Amino acid sequence: MDILLIAGMWLDATAWREVVPELERLGHRPVALTLPGQGDGDAGATYDDQVAAVVAAVDAADGPVLVVGHSAACALAWVAADARPGAVARVVLVGGMPSEDGETYFGFFEPVDGVVAFPGWEPFEGPDSDDMSAELKAEVAAGALAVPAAVTQGVVRLRDERRYDVPVTMVCPEYTPEQAREWVEAGDVPELARARQVDYVDIDAGHWPMYTRPDELARLLADCAADRGEPRN
């Protein structure tokens, strides 16, 4: 299956560099995206440009595609299901949740001089990054990309309720599947509360498992690509 990989804030396609070979070894066709304004040098990119790039990648797939979003990009993965519900076989959310219609894409950090730069590791101390070595943190920070405010301040738009028929897998890194299920059942994640099928999968990692558990993450994604059955809890 074609597997579309969308990394979260401050990352480009190279974030998946250790995941891609394992997915290929398992027989899949991974496509790691570099989003507009996030590694392509386009300082004028907008959130809508990123949405268009994701949808274009879905359209370019040979058949039904597994769309994987990480962190903030979980919103983009869900928007892909909304835009192309017949072409997205499953959405996988790694360490993140889909946004609701009308929400700001990434409002957690205020832009400075027109961009949201990587804020350093202090906001992510604890379970998010405890599994990362000092060397790995330095490497990731050195490659982090400032994201244009026109991306982060974009407004999420969802229009097609057929997205709720697209199966979803939540890969739970710094939180447990039990916690994620409680959030959804309590209505804290309205989009997933309305989804027909939501599965929960644990991974013993922090917020960036593509760096710290790439082979395990690849195998989980391959399992998601193969899973066309009943919901799993």
Side-chain angles (χ1 to χ4, degrees):
M1 177 179 284
D2 288 318
I3 299 179
L4 184 60
L5 302 167
I6 316 167
M9 287 291 292
W10 310 299
L11 305 175
D12 62 11
T14 61
W16 304 98
R17 62 183 179 272
E18 294 186 46
V19 176
V20 165
E22 181 66 8
L23 284 173
E24 290 174 338
R25 189 187 70 79
L26 294 168
H28 296 286
R29 298 179 297 276
V31 177
L33 281 190
T34 287
L35 295 168
Q38 216 164 305
D40 68 344
D42 184 1
T46 67
Y47 165 77
D48 289 339
D49 292 333
Q50 292 201 348
V51 170
V54 171
V55 173
V58 172
D59 290 343
D62 290 338
V65 61
L66 183 76
V67 181
V68 181
H70 165 254
S71 191
C74 289
L76 292 174
W78 191 237
V79 167
D82 178 77
R84 297 292 187 270
V88 176
R90 180 179 288 267
V91 170
V92 180
L93 308 175
V94 181
M97 321 284 174
S99 300
E100 295 180 70
D101 180 64
E103 287 189 343
T104 299
Y105 173 52
F106 189 80
F108 299 103
F109 297 97
E110 286 297 317
V112 176
D113 296 329
V115 299
V116 174
F118 180 63
W121 292 107
E122 185 175 353
F124 308 109
E125 288 181 355
D128 281 358
S129 63
D130 280 349
D131 63 336
M132 301 177 75
S133 67
E135 293 78 12
L136 178 57
K137 286 183 177 180
E139 177 187 343
V140 173
L145 302 155
V147 181
V151 170
T152 66
Q153 300 302 302
V155 177
V156 174
R157 293 300 181 197
L158 299 167
R159 298 178 174 85
D160 194 331
E161 293 201 354
R162 289 179 297 168
R163 66 184 178 276
Y164 298 124
D165 294 327
V166 178
V168 179
T169 297
M170 292 189 69
V171 176
C172 305
E174 70 269 25
Y175 47 84
T176 67
E178 290 74 24
Q179 288 174 309
R181 188 181 297 109
E182 288 174 2
W183 298 332
V184 172
E185 292 176 354
D188 296 333
V189 192
E191 283 298 302
L192 295 188
R194 297 182 66 183
R196 180 180 61 83
Q197 177 179 336
V198 182
D199 301 330
Y200 303 85
V201 178
D202 194 21
I203 186 169
D204 185 15
H207 190 64
W208 292 271
M210 66 274 282
Y211 293 119
T212 60
R213 299 286 188 277
D215 289 352
E216 181 181 354
L217 179 58
R219 290 191 292 271
L220 287 178
L221 298 181
D223 288 344
C224 291
D227 184 6
R228 305 294 182 90
E230 293 301 314
R232 293 177 290 111
N233 296 307

